[in-house]
Amino acid sequence: MRILLTGATGYIGQHLLKKLLVQGHELICCVRSPDRFHIPEKYKGQLKVLKVDFVEMEKGFELPVKIDVAYYLIHSMSASMQNFDNLELKAAGNFRSLLDSTECQQIIYLSGISNEKTLSKHLNSRFQVEEELRKGTVPVTVLRAGIIVGAGSASFELIRDLVEKLPIMITPKWVHTRCQPIAIENVLDFLLLIALRPEYYHQSFDIGQEGIFTYKEMLQVYAKVRNLPRRIIVLPLMTPRLSSYWLYFVTSVSYPLAVNLVDSMKIEVVCRPNNLADELGIQLISYVDAVRSAIDNYQQRRVFASWKDALSSSYTGKGLGQYYDVPKYGVLSDKKEMEVTESPEEVLNNIWSIGGKRGWYYADWLWRIRGIIDKFVGGVGLRRGRTNEETIQAGDSLDFWRVLSADRIIDPKDGKITARLLLFAEMKLPGEAWLEFKLVPKDSGHHIYQTATFRPKGLWGRIYWYVVSPLHALIFKGMLRRLVSFRSKADQGSKTDKDSKADQATV
């Protein structure tokens, strides 16, 4: 099949993309920022990438005519508290209009369960998108899901954060709301098996596993699987605003996402009965087994995709491309260079492992304080960590940074390494900030270059930079030194100086 895939950089989109490529389909992926879209070398001939923003369409843009199936997986809930529904409706309308000019036979849309008379803004937005897509000439099949259980999904990471961090939870009354979760594996099964099945055109189906749980029960099941004693106390008087702040400060979700999640958690999301799973031959995974599978993936570091790697609202819809070239004029910077006297391969590994559990190599307590301050002023803080502790690529979230570039080349002839890691700040700042690491051959060895660049916004931006400059001088100097000298746990036993103890504390 020739398949059009939107939302390819999102959580569901990344999983579905991998499945479709393995099955041998020809894919056309529509993305806002091709620079953050990683294509495995062996699939490059099988996949075409189109740069398109369905909200702000370029005049004259057209989709390829020959398309069999189109997956619509665009959602904007985490980007805004106020206007995400208008953005979603506008994007759906533009998508529908473009698709009407193609030979597409089916649109498949992943929506939310919306069977209650009163819907949250989020669920109502999904329903309105369904209606907008149906206005076109292409038949639409809608799959409606509640909480998706899988390593990296926003809803499941919220459950995971709460149970892992809080022995005693004082929760709002929405923990008594019922919902019907579904495993990420089953969501993919439905999305794949329903394609080009005419009997399912112009229809919608609720998808979920067989059991119905309250949010409190889902938290308790996770705690039981992890063997963690947890006590949940329900406080009926907790307002939606307090609930949103509670989720925002305790978990890694952004405040706009917390607001929209709380709004939706007051609404029951229980499936209307249907026989779709049986007709497609899908074996539904129980919630307990889905939790076990997700936990195992976390423990084995097999988190393939995460909701956190979707673009933050700090980009205001403009995409990453505008930040890729670090500005040279009107900026303030801190530049440092050091000769690599140790193994350049080890230094490259240190650069590629920065952030997350590894930390920032020097004065991690100051980084944590900065993360706490960022949370209190409405930023993302440090709790996002990194999706994968061993690999990194453009588009990944990295604590309160976003990866713009992660390029490295090892010359097969002489083993010389050329590498560049470029990060863009998503913390709250009176300006824009970049942090760049370069490892390059020089003379007979290698040198590492570390550059922090800040483009201030007005007078307050410049005041901010000069106030924190003494801390920058301390942190950036120490970080560069440790990037060169740091050794993993396997090598720490041989170290006897003070830096060895510091390394262990950092890890």
Side-chain angles (χ1 to χ4, degrees), residues 134-147:
R134 290 192 180 101
K135 293 178 181 178
T137 59
V138 182
V140 180
T141 303
V142 178
L143 298 174
R144 296 170 173 167
I147 282 187

Side-chain angles (χ1 to χ4, degrees), residues 347-396:
V347 175
L348 176 62
N349 180 67
N350 290 342
I351 296 172
W352 250 239
S353 302
I354 200 167
K357 292 182 179 180
R358 175 68 68 89
W360 293 85
Y361 295 102
Y362 186 81
D364 269 3
W365 62 277
L366 286 175
W367 288 93
R368 286 192 290 270
I369 290 175
R370 183 63 179 88
I372 293 171
I373 294 174
D374 194 53
K375 270 282 189 180
F376 272 99
V377 296
V380 296
L382 288 176
R383 288 186 177 141
R384 294 189 308 185
R386 50 184 292 167
T387 299
N388 194 303
E389 299 297 326
E390 299 172 354
T391 63
I392 194 169
Q393 62 187 36
D396 285 357

Side-chain angles (χ1 to χ4, degrees), residues 5-10 14 17 29-39 47-54 56 58 74 309-312 314-324 393-396 402-405 424 426:
L5 179 62
T6 64
T9 57
Q14 289 186 63
L17 172 65
C29 292
C30 296
V31 297
R32 285 190 301 166
S33 301
D35 46 281
R36 69 172 290 238
F37 187 67
H38 177 70
I39 306 173
L47 191 153
K48 180 179 180 180
V49 179
L50 298 179
K51 181 180 180 180
V52 53
D53 184 340
F54 288 106
E56 301 296 336
E58 291 186 13
I74 295 175
D309 293 333
L311 290 182
S312 137
S314 61
Y315 295 109
T316 61
K318 298 178 182 178
L320 284 174
Q322 63 171 330
Y323 302 111
Y324 188 85
Q393 62 187 36
D396 285 357
R402 179 72 59 176
V403 180
L404 298 184
S405 176
F424 178 75
E426 290 190 326

Side-chain angles (χ1 to χ4, degrees), residues 74-78 80-82 84-85 88 109-114 119-130 145-147 155 215 256-267 269:
I74 295 175
H75 302 300
S76 306
M77 185 175 68
S78 63
S80 170
M81 290 183 288
Q82 302 297 330
F84 72 87
D85 52 343
E88 288 191 342
Y109 173 52
L110 182 62
S111 185
I113 295 175
S114 52
L119 297 176
S120 66
K121 188 175 181 179
H122 157 226
L123 291 176
N124 185 64
S125 174
R126 299 287 170 89
F127 183 76
Q128 293 300 320
V129 168
E130 294 178 24
I147 282 187
S155 299
Y215 289 107
L257 181 57
V259 170
N260 291 316
L261 284 174
V262 168
D263 191 35
S264 295
M265 284 173 173
K266 297 179 291 184
I267 310 299
V269 282

